[in-house]
Amino acid sequence: MTTAAHALVAQLEELGVEYVFGTCGHTNIAVLDALADSPIRFVIARHEQAAAHAADGYARASGKPGVLLVHVGPGLTNAATGVMTAALDSVPLVVISGDIPSYYRGRHPHQEINLHADGDQASVFRPFVKRAWNVHRAQDLGRAVERAFWTARSGRPGATLVNVPMDVFSRPAEPYPPISHAAAPDLPEATAELIAATLAAADRPLLYIGGGLREDADVLIALAEHLDIPIAHSLMAKGTVPDAHPLVLGMTGFWGLELTNAYAREADVVLALATRFAETDASSWDPKFTWDFSAGSTLIQIDIDPAELGRNYPVAIGAVADVGLAVKALADAAKAHPRAERPELREKIRQARSGLFTASRERGRSEDFPLRPERILADLREAIPADAVLVTDVGWNKNGVAQCYELPAQGRFITPGGASTMGFGPAAAVGVQLARPERTVVALIGDGGMSAQLPAVPLAVEQGAPVIFVVMNNRSHGTISDLQAAHFGRSHGCDFTDPAGRPYSPDFAALAVACGADGHTVTTPAEFGAALRAAVANRRPALIDVPMVNEPVPTPGHWNIKDIYQGMFSD
């Protein structure tokens, strides 16, 4: 017999947990005391949102669930945005929150979330977590944690919450026995054969992949090459198949090429794998731009989550299966059909894709200062190792990399897709670096995103995480500023200025130095590449502040946000 806190830590060790991210509070110090004697490393952050994003980044890079420990009330609510970000991107995250003492329930004690009803802080998370457990007895904590890890990882991964009154952590409890897991659902052989035959008979087939497929890219490529089927992907799936592969059409939707959107719209058979057809990837579901399944085309959809089948488009063949197992079954079934060849299509793809990257590189040769964003991308690709991990925030950094950056085959791209959370990139990059200490990790972020998560810099210093923070600094929430100017003729409330109305920005490089990191302020075009190479070589936390001009990302696709404002003025 031991305390529930010590039994919890022993269970986390058994589960293979390496890091617990979070902040301290009077409701969780019993767990922190138990962690002091454990090989599990507690990663303390200065804000719960930073801790949540770091746990999220660790989970995305490691493939293991991130673990987040938070305090009652404001501790939990501060973490909500970070946990929601992970949840909407199907990232496994287990949150353990301290709560008020059980014997004070109903009396509105210190920091309890209440006003018009008795406290129930778990309800704050219920709209986006897969499940939340309220633990009432010490002997139930182990079972709740077991279910939280299993639920976070199984089916469509996501976030879970275990909410524990602080006194429960200190009550006697026995260690919980190791857990076992069931196998993931496979694709039935008959279904695989039907899908393979449908693809083989198609004139204009298309493989469309989402963020749920990452580890089985080689099998997917073998399937595509055997039947010579082009591959399009969502924003979250960039890098799953190398950008340079001759069958990769690239992203669909708002940031997609005209060729990609046209082929998607005219495809006669589409096999959609682990994707929810998000709004930006589907051009707000307007059939004029990307997907049109009303004219006789066939949609085949495979997803681990049955709720996604047919959510946005009618499905002719649907299957609930682990996408990795499904792709293997399809590749095997496709071998019964002869190889296909579409040389003209491959040439169209080559011309469109090479034209995209060549034009971006040409724009990236500019010696203008402040730098054009594509100059920043060009210098970045030249200076960092091929296997570097790019962690972006929102704005030009995310959209420009997704569209214009030819990601090396060994590289990795991590971005907040479902919530598009500003402030994700800085702290998430620290979690990625802890999961992949041998790789160069770059947080490519805007000045708005950096300002939203300044705690990420001391977090990197304290953890010895050599993250390179590259701040694309236009002294503005540039994307929204451009949108407002386009529809209202001016920008107000989107740009950072001093009292005299002049563009303003903090001295991010000086802040980095004050925190114990290296700081670089770029003053000429050549200085950025030099600072990058130095940061890669030094293997220390570093921040590079790069002045940048506002330029819109090329968007040949469509997104309904344009219509929202056009519609306002059309009556």
Side-chain angles (χ1 to χ4, degrees):
M1 189 71 70
T2 183
T3 68
H6 283 86
L8 167 65
V9 171
Q11 185 179 16
L12 295 178
E13 292 174 6
E14 192 73 39
L15 288 164
V17 173
E18 300 174 295
Y19 297 95
V20 171
F21 300 80
T23 56
C24 60
H26 68 268
T27 60
N28 64 27
I29 54 175
V31 179
L32 294 177
D33 179 70
L35 283 169
D37 301 318
S38 169
I40 296 174
R41 185 163 145 193
F42 180 65
V43 179
I44 182 173
R46 281 170 166 75
H47 192 277
E48 289 84 358
Q49 185 177 342
H53 288 320
D56 179 352
Y58 170 83
R60 296 186 198 224
S62 69
K64 302 177 181 179
V67 181
L68 177 66
L69 179 67
V70 298
H71 173 55
V72 68
L76 179 133
T77 56
N78 281 346
T81 297
V83 177
M84 182 186 71
T85 300
L88 294 185
D89 283 347
S90 303
V91 175
L93 191 69
V94 176
V95 185
I96 301 169
S97 62
D99 203 348
I100 61 162
S102 60
Y103 43 82
Y104 285 158
R105 180 170 175 79
R107 303 183 68 178
H108 291 185
H110 180 59
Q111 292 191 308
E112 183 185 41
I113 300 174
N114 63 68
L115 186 60
H116 304 295
D118 290 341
D120 180 15
Q121 69 175 16
S123 292
V124 174
F125 277 24
R126 290 191 194 279
F128 48 83
V129 296
K130 293 182 72 176
R131 185 171 171 185
W133 287 264
N134 282 305
V135 176
H136 301 291
R137 305 184 305 163
Q139 56 265 46
D140 294 333
L141 177 58
R143 183 180 296 108
V145 170
E146 173 196 13
R147 300 310 304 155
F149 271 82
W150 166 241
T151 303
R153 289 184 294 189
S154 65
R156 178 179 180 171
T160 57
L161 171 67
V162 180
N163 191 63
V164 189
M166 62 176 288
D167 56 300
V168 169
F169 284 132
S170 298
R171 297 186 185 277
E174 294 182 357
Y176 203 75
I179 60 177
S180 59
H181 293 154
D186 205 343
L187 187 68
E189 183 177 351
T191 305
E193 291 174 352
L194 173 62
I195 294 172
T198 305
L199 289 171
D203 291 324
R204 292 176 59 84
L206 176 65
L207 298 179
Y208 180 59
I209 59 174
L213 178 69
R214 182 159 296 278
E215 302 302 325
D216 300 283
D218 290 344
V219 181
L220 176 73
I221 291 171
L223 169 65
E225 290 179 343
H226 183 75
L227 297 177
D228 214 29
I229 304 176
I231 302 169
H233 61 78
S234 69
L235 167 72
M236 297 297 292
K238 180 182 173 71
T240 301
V241 178
D243 275 338
H245 193 280
L247 286 172
V248 171
L249 280 162
M251 289 189 301
T252 60
F254 184 52
W255 299 294
L257 290 170
E258 291 182 11
L259 173 65
T260 309
N261 283 318
Y263 190 93
R265 193 168 56 251
E266 297 165 6
D268 57 351
V269 175
V270 177
L271 171 58
L273 299 167
T275 178
R276 59 191 179 91
F277 287 100
E279 183 183 5
T280 50
D281 298 317
S283 296
S284 294
W285 310 290
D286 189 323
K288 295 192 300 293
F289 296 96
T290 302
W291 304 107
D292 183 5
F293 293 102
S294 64
S297 60
T298 297
L299 174 60
I300 304 168
Q301 192 172 3
I302 300 174
D303 204 286
I304 193 70
D305 184 356
E308 294 300 337
L309 299 184
R311 178 192 293 277
N312 288 308
Y313 296 108
V315 175
I317 304 173
V320 176
D322 176 271
V323 69
L325 296 176
V327 168
K328 292 175 183 176
L330 291 172
D332 288 340
K335 294 174 183 176
H337 301 273
R339 295 182 67 90
E341 294 185 1
R342 295 181 175 86
E344 290 118 0
L345 176 58
R346 286 192 176 222
E347 178 58 19
K348 286 182 181 179
I349 294 173
R350 187 195 66 78
Q351 291 180 10
R353 296 279 283 172
S354 63
L356 168 70
F357 295 130
T358 299
S360 182
R361 281 194 294 268
E362 285 301 314
R363 291 189 292 270
R365 298 180 189 277
S366 171
E367 291 292 324
D368 293 346
F369 193 85
L371 294 181
R372 298 185 70 179
E374 282 163 304
R375 170 63 187 266
I376 296 174
L377 297 188
D379 287 2
L380 186 71
R381 195 175 190 279
E382 184 178 331
I384 63 176
D387 68 347
V389 183
L390 280 181
V391 185
T392 69
D393 209 84
V394 296
W396 225 107
N397 49 88
K398 177 183 81 171
N399 306 339
V401 170
Q403 185 182 68
C404 306
Y405 191 93
E406 190 172 8
L407 190 71
Q410 309 97 306
R412 178 82 188 270
F413 169 62
I414 293 176
T415 196
S420 289
T421 303
M422 181 171 292
F424 167 84
V430 179
V432 170
Q433 188 72 84
L434 293 177
R436 293 287 179 258
E438 76 286 357
R439 294 173 76 167
T440 295
V441 176
V442 177
L444 186 65
I445 48 190
D447 52 308
M450 188 71 251
S451 299
Q453 276 302 318
L454 295 176
V457 179
L459 177 62
V461 172
E462 291 164 346
Q463 298 303 319
V467 174
I468 304 171
F469 302 93
V470 175
V471 182
M472 301 173 75
N473 191 347
N474 55 19
R475 302 183 181 189
S476 172
H477 294 310
T479 301
I480 305 303
S481 180
D482 289 340
L483 179 68
Q484 188 188 57
H487 292 283
F488 293 93
R490 61 181 176 178
S491 176
H492 179 74
C494 302
D495 307 309
F496 303 118
T497 59
D498 65 13
R502 295 168 300 203
Y504 165 79
S505 180
D507 190 337
F508 291 115
L511 172 69
V513 172
C515 293
D518 296 334
H520 307 268
T521 300
V522 173
T523 60
T524 67
E527 287 181 5
F528 177 50
L532 266 176
R533 287 186 286 273
V536 170
N538 290 341
R539 296 297 291 167
R540 281 175 39 78
L543 188 149
I544 307 173
D545 189 349
V546 192
M548 183 187 81
V549 297
N550 260 350
E551 286 186 359
V553 179
T555 53
H558 173 76
W559 185 23
N560 193 51
I561 195 167
K562 295 180 178 180
D563 287 351
I564 290 172
Y565 290 104
Q566 290 170 352
M568 289 173 60
F569 304 111
S570 62
D571 294 334

